[in-house]
Amino acid sequence: MIKGRWILTVAALSLFAGGCSWTPMGSMKGDAQVQSPPAVKDDSTLRYFYFMEAQSQEKKGNLDKEIYYLGKAIELDPDSNFLKRELAVAYLKQSNTEQAAKLILSILDQNPKEIESLFLLGRIHIAEKQYEKAAAVYEKALTIDPLAENIYYFLGNYYFEKNDLDNATRIYNQLISKKPEAYAAHFYLARILMKKGDYEGAEEKLLYTIEIAPDLEAPKKELIKIYEATGQEEKII
């Protein structure tokens, strides 16, 4: 089964403008609960203050306050896709996928090819266990950023678990065409060949994986399985 371990970490963030205005759900009650902003009228200074407060609260694990401060920052800069993604991630940490998706879709409505938001939308669908939707989003993302290696591994595993071996093979071969040294892709192709009963092809792939990543134990174990299944125990070292 595809588990939460396939949730991907999306780190690339930018300050591109676009999207609709956003007001966070709820608010912090009581002035004593929040840090007072500096006595300035400059929006950029206040926005920076609110963002830094949000970062501080995130480090403390105070998600409600993080969301509050990010919302205040967005009120001052409603076109900031960067702030919207930050707020979406905060909602996602609360398992509030509905609000996270609403934010990200507001960005994609304005810019359907915004890669950071596509990655995050896929991550939201994974959190919702809507793997088919996540796969569709990631397939689109790869047409925009064909070097996003982790996306290939999610898609390859997704198709493998569905027993859609042709698409799994397509994904890993596509990755290898971009990054020939991607040893994990060679390993997973070997697993696909084993599942198809092509032990000779799988052996070749595993030996190549070991050649480029000699410290890995997994391909060596799979190679032993092949030798045992084909009566070639004499090859086992």
Side-chain angles (χ1 to χ4, degrees):
M1 294 179 64
I2 304 174
K3 301 294 185 181
R5 66 177 181 272
W6 298 105
I7 294 177
L8 310 172
T9 299
V10 181
L13 297 171
S14 64
L15 286 165
F16 295 125
C20 305
S21 61
W22 178 258
T23 302
M25 291 186 65
S27 61
M28 300 297 292
K29 297 179 179 179
D31 293 340
Q33 290 184 304
V34 298
Q35 181 71 29
S36 297
V40 296
K41 296 181 179 180
D42 180 71
D43 282 356
S44 63
T45 302
L46 283 173
R47 183 172 62 246
Y48 179 76
F49 165 79
Y50 287 130
F51 176 72
M52 294 307 297
E53 278 299 315
Q55 296 294 293
S56 175
Q57 297 302 327
E58 189 271 337
K59 291 178 181 178
K60 296 175 183 178
N62 297 330
L63 290 180
D64 287 340
K65 289 184 180 180
E66 179 189 2
I67 287 170
Y68 169 81
Y69 284 117
L70 286 171
K72 296 296 288 184
I74 289 173
E75 287 177 8
L76 295 170
D77 190 1
D79 292 330
S80 171
N81 290 341
F82 168 76
L83 290 173
K84 289 179 183 179
R85 285 194 299 271
E86 288 285 290
L87 185 53
V89 170
Y91 278 128
L92 190 55
K93 287 185 288 190
Q94 283 191 332
S95 299
N96 190 342
T97 55
E98 181 180 355
Q99 289 301 315
K102 185 176 180 180
L103 279 161
I104 296 306
L105 290 173
S106 76
I107 297 173
L108 293 172
D109 282 345
Q110 300 295 318
N111 187 355
K113 294 185 177 181
E114 214 235 30
I115 191 66
E116 294 90 349
S117 295
L118 282 171
F119 287 159
L120 191 47
L121 182 60
R123 181 177 165 188
I124 291 167
H125 287 322
I126 292 171
E128 296 172 328
K129 302 189 187 311
Q130 296 187 33
Y131 301 116
E132 186 172 354
K133 286 186 176 181
V137 169
Y138 286 145
E139 287 275 13
K140 180 179 180 180
L142 285 181
T143 66
I144 302 167
D145 182 3
L147 297 179
E149 189 168 351
N150 283 341
I151 301 299
Y152 288 101
Y153 293 125
F154 168 80
L155 285 170
N157 182 73
Y158 168 73
Y159 290 129
F160 184 84
E161 294 293 338
K162 285 184 63 180
N163 206 36
D164 186 350
L165 301 184
D166 288 341
N167 268 322
T169 300
R170 170 181 63 84
I171 287 295
Y172 290 126
N173 278 331
Q174 187 177 338
L175 172 56
I176 290 170
S177 72
K178 305 295 181 184
K179 294 186 176 183
E181 74 284 2
Y183 57 83
H186 292 283
F187 172 72
Y188 289 127
L189 279 175
R191 290 186 63 206
I192 292 170
L193 291 169
M194 288 175 67
K195 198 167 186 178
K196 289 181 174 181
D198 183 357
Y199 293 116
E200 184 177 349
E203 178 187 8
E204 182 180 343
K205 274 292 180 186
L206 289 170
L207 288 171
Y208 183 71
T209 304
I210 293 169
E211 179 183 335
I212 61 177
D215 293 333
L216 288 182
E217 291 298 323
K220 297 172 186 177
K221 291 179 181 179
E222 294 299 315
L223 200 55
I224 290 173
K225 290 179 184 179
I226 289 176
Y227 294 149
E228 290 176 341
T230 57
Q232 301 181 77
E233 288 86 352
E234 70 277 5
K235 291 186 176 182
I236 301 174
I237 299 176

